[in-house]
Amino acid sequence: MRNVDISCQYEANFYHIIFDSTFNVVDLINDFYSKDEVIESWPVVILEYYQDPNDPGFDTQWGMSKIDATSAWEYESGNSSVIIGISDSGADVYDEENQQATVHPDLLQNLWNENGLYGINVGQPGLRPIDYLGHGTHVAGITGAVTNNYIGIAGVAGGGFGNDDGIKLLIVKMSGDGTMTAEEIMAESICQALNPDGDWNTDDWVDIINMS
């Protein structure tokens, strides 16, 4: 503990106290504040200031400036404990030209892959959720493309700053590849996003579902 000597002190003393990292900061602040002798207590906040990410397509992402994403990334840029279900036309998880399973490099790190298929194909169970329309890949990229990796674009919650990892994207293909999707398929896509392994006793469901 050390006394903080500043010119505006008046009938009060300021102290800077450093505790072992095992203590909970919020609990300590509340404990001090509850004491009659203490006027105020607060943490020393250490902020990391981030510049624009190095993704080459970031300059074209006008939506990021609209939501002031760079300011939000000062606090958190993603968390892999959060799973977002992208119920759409699939994602770029297969190279049609070369007929091989090649996942888009800007999505790979953040894709859910517990079944080895990089998602779920509702219309054709057991097959990869290949995106023939591009819309699902677009939505997945805006949501969780890996940020600050010198590839493609920046995802809103793609990680890439400090110790942040990106959110997990569960791709759920419900599109008929150019045809209208029946209400039953849309409803089933929600069910499978909520229960990707088919066992309701396991806690593996998504936290958020995007169906645009």
Side-chain angles (χ1 to χ4, degrees):
M1 181 175 74
R2 68 179 179 86
N3 184 271
V4 180
D5 186 16
I6 56 178
S7 61
C8 62
Q9 287 186 169
Y10 177 71
E11 296 183 353
N13 292 308
F14 288 79
Y15 298 95
H16 180 202
I17 309 174
I18 299 175
F19 289 89
D20 187 274
S21 60
T22 57
F23 287 92
N24 181 285
V25 175
V26 175
D27 289 342
L28 284 170
I29 292 169
N30 291 336
D31 287 345
F32 272 98
Y33 189 66
S34 67
K35 299 182 182 300
D36 294 337
E37 302 91 339
V38 176
I39 299 172
E40 184 61 86
S41 60
W42 62 88
V44 176
V45 179
I46 302 175
L47 296 177
E48 296 181 65
Y49 291 95
Y50 300 121
Q51 297 179 343
D52 289 351
N54 55 35
D55 306 273
F58 180 73
D59 289 343
T60 68
Q61 293 181 264
W62 58 266
M64 290 297 190
S65 61
K66 290 289 186 181
I67 65 173
D68 197 11
T70 53
S71 292
W73 291 332
E74 292 177 7
Y75 298 92
E76 185 172 310
S77 60
N79 190 317
S80 61
S81 68
V82 177
I83 304 176
I84 298 182
I86 306 296
S87 187
D88 210 290
S89 61
D92 187 0
V93 296
Y94 192 82
D95 183 352
E96 280 293 313
E97 182 178 349
N98 298 305
Q99 293 293 296
Q100 59 184 5
T102 304
V103 182
H104 195 296
D106 212 13
L107 295 176
L108 178 60
Q109 181 177 314
N110 291 342
L111 285 183
W112 177 96
N113 189 31
E114 293 184 17
N115 62 358
L117 300 174
Y118 291 102
I120 297 170
N121 190 327
V122 177
Q124 297 173 295
L127 297 183
R128 292 174 179 269
I130 301 173
D131 184 10
Y132 295 103
L133 301 178
H135 189 270
T137 302
H138 189 170
V139 173
I142 292 172
T143 307
V146 181
T147 305
N148 209 41
N149 66 341
Y150 293 99
I151 299 174
I153 63 170
V156 173
F161 291 112
N163 295 320
D164 289 349
D165 51 4
I167 47 87
K168 284 300 176 188
L169 296 166
L170 172 57
I171 304 300
V172 183
K173 178 174 179 170
M174 65 170 183
S175 167
D177 299 326
T179 62
M180 293 295 289
T181 301
E183 288 85 351
E184 290 83 357
I185 296 294
M186 296 172 67
E188 182 62 22
S189 73
I190 296 174
C191 287
Q192 295 202 27
L194 292 173
N195 186 22
D197 69 352
D199 184 355
W200 288 102
N201 293 313
T202 55
D203 181 5
D204 61 349
W205 49 79
V206 296
D207 301 282
I208 301 166
I209 295 177
N210 181 92
M211 184 184 289
S212 56

